[in-house]
Amino acid sequence: MIQLTNVSFGYRRQKPVLQEINLEIKPGNIYGLLGKNGEGKTTLLNIMSGLLFPDKGECLVFNEMPEKRKAHFLQNIFLLPEEINLPDVTGQEYIKMFAPFYPTFSNEIFEACKESFDIDLTAPLRKMSLGQKKKAAIMLALSANTPLLLMDEPTNGLDIPSKSIFRKLLASHISEEQTVIISTHQVRDLESLIDSVIILDRKEILFNKPLDEISRKLDFRKVETEEASFYSEPSPSGTVGVVVNDTAEKSIVSLELLFNAATSSASRSKIKDIINH
Ligand code: ADP
């Protein structure tokens, strides 16, 4: 569905943000795109949606170049940006303006979102709080029901109850035919929501793997100090860490530990090797 081949991009010459990125996104999965602030997650999503063009390499989405931004391409993809610029209209008018553009728009999902988020759509969007604006934008993103949904830091600006509603809505209204990529630096927000993890770190994709596969290779648990763990950190219940899973059982992946281990200088290359081989 998405194929990036040797994609490099920089806002300024001599300062690449992404370097020789190779990435394949298969249909029907929910991907978590994890990376620290400023690693290039927004840049990558903007390239996929055709808002930025690679300096080198090729990005194909539905076998097309996104930068051509053809109408049928745009009808099949929804990008929820991190910073939302909403028009000066009410919530109702906003949905009415955009819904007709998406042939897949679902009134059923829209009604479910409206009920769960409980926001007043008769109010002008400009007067809404950041959280309310975000909810209105998420409502449109989910209701558009497009085959490809890209969400850039969707939980930023949401309070804890709204984050939980967002997770429930996503889990119950994304169909098996849809592909979703959710970027975040708040790794815990995606726990038990995604089925594949992509980690972007220091201009490269460290790995792009199903959680299922990671859970067979690595174990995430309490570790003794003398034990051979790749990575460990203190927690309220003792030291927790990442070790090789040498059992036949699948582990329960802790996204936070995986992310911390994969982006820490001492364990980065070991984790990358184990997961990719
Ligand atoms: P992330 O989404 O992971 O936080 P971004 O893709 O927003 O990362 O940014 C990646 C890098 O590119 C950062 O160093 C950021 O400062 C820089 N950057 C982002 N947008 C611009 C821009 N419009 N002009 C120049 N530099 C930018």
Side-chain angles (χ1 to χ4, degrees):
M1 170 167 273
I2 302 181
Q3 183 79 51
L4 273 80
T5 315
N6 300 325
V7 166
S8 298
F9 179 88
Y11 291 94
R12 272 172 285 153
R13 276 173 190 220
Q14 318 297 343
K15 225 182 155 219
V17 172
L18 304 173
Q19 216 157 27
E20 304 271 322
I21 297 277
N22 289 297
L23 181 66
E24 187 187 357
I25 301 292
K26 294 190 179 136
N29 283 303
I30 303 184
Y31 289 81
L33 172 59
L34 315 182
K36 293 179 197 157
N37 270 331
E39 288 293 347
K41 302 180 295 299
T42 301
T43 306
L44 191 59
L45 295 181
N46 284 343
I47 290 175
M48 290 174 183
S49 53
L51 295 172
L52 294 172
F53 316 150
D55 295 332
K56 282 190 210 146
E58 184 182 61
C59 171
L60 292 177
V61 179
F62 306 123
N63 264 325
E64 288 190 37
M65 287 167 79
E67 59 206 66
K68 295 201 169 143
R69 301 200 38 96
K70 294 198 173 144
H72 71 267
F73 173 85
L74 296 173
Q75 284 180 321
N76 283 318
I77 171 170
F78 194 104
L79 170 70
L80 176 77
E82 183 183 3
E83 277 166 32
I84 308 158
N85 249 329
L86 295 171
D88 195 10
V89 293
T90 66
Q92 272 166 345
E93 286 163 341
Y94 171 64
I95 302 288
K96 239 183 171 170
M97 262 162 77
F98 285 97
F101 183 68
Y102 298 100
T104 46
F105 188 89
S106 161
N107 278 317
E108 195 189 316
I109 300 178
F110 173 71
E111 289 302 327
C113 293
K114 198 165 87 175
E115 198 180 317
S116 301
F117 274 144
D118 191 26
I119 55 169
D120 176 13
L121 290 176
T122 60
L125 292 170
R126 291 265 160 101
K127 290 194 180 150
M128 288 183 179
S129 70
L130 174 67
Q132 287 168 321
K133 281 183 192 159
K134 197 89 188 200
K135 287 188 220 172
I138 290 173
M139 280 173 75
L140 179 60
L142 293 179
S143 314
N145 198 22
T146 47
L148 178 60
L149 172 58
L150 308 175
M151 304 181 111
D152 194 5
E153 303 272 3
T155 54
N156 265 8
L158 293 184
D159 56 19
I160 292 170
S162 307
K163 280 185 187 186
S164 141
I165 294 170
F166 165 73
R167 292 157 59 92
K168 281 188 197 139
L169 285 171
L170 197 83
S172 39
H173 295 293
I174 293 297
S175 70
E176 283 182 8
E177 292 81 50
Q178 285 177 285
T179 306
V180 186
I181 307 180
I182 310 173
S183 88
T184 192
H185 67 281
Q186 291 168 321
V187 177
R188 272 196 199 174
D189 287 355
L190 301 191
E191 207 91 57
S192 68
L193 194 60
I194 56 174
D195 32 43
S196 280
V197 189
I198 305 167
I199 295 193
L200 179 62
D201 187 63
R202 298 178 218 176
K203 308 180 185 58
E204 62 161 341
I205 301 286
L206 290 185
F207 52 81
N208 167 24
K209 290 284 175 198
L211 280 178
D212 210 40
E213 208 176 309
I214 297 173
S215 70
R216 269 188 243 117
K217 293 181 170 171
L218 295 172
D219 199 1
F220 305 81
R221 58 169 167 80
K222 268 176 106 168
V223 290
E224 303 301 329
T225 33
E226 65 276 10
E227 204 176 345
S229 62
F230 299 118
Y231 173 87
S232 63
E233 62 185 39
S235 84
S237 58
T239 306
V240 288
V242 183
V243 295
V244 167
N245 183 1
D246 49 17
T247 68
E249 308 275 304
K250 286 188 202 167
S251 66
I252 295 172
V253 177
S254 154
L255 276 188
E256 197 168 17
L257 270 179
L258 174 67
F259 180 69
N260 291 347
T263 55
S264 135
S265 298
S267 46
R268 185 179 191 270
S269 61
K270 283 183 207 149
I271 297 281
K272 188 179 158 190
D273 276 0
I274 292 177
I275 293 184
N276 284 321
H277 292 108

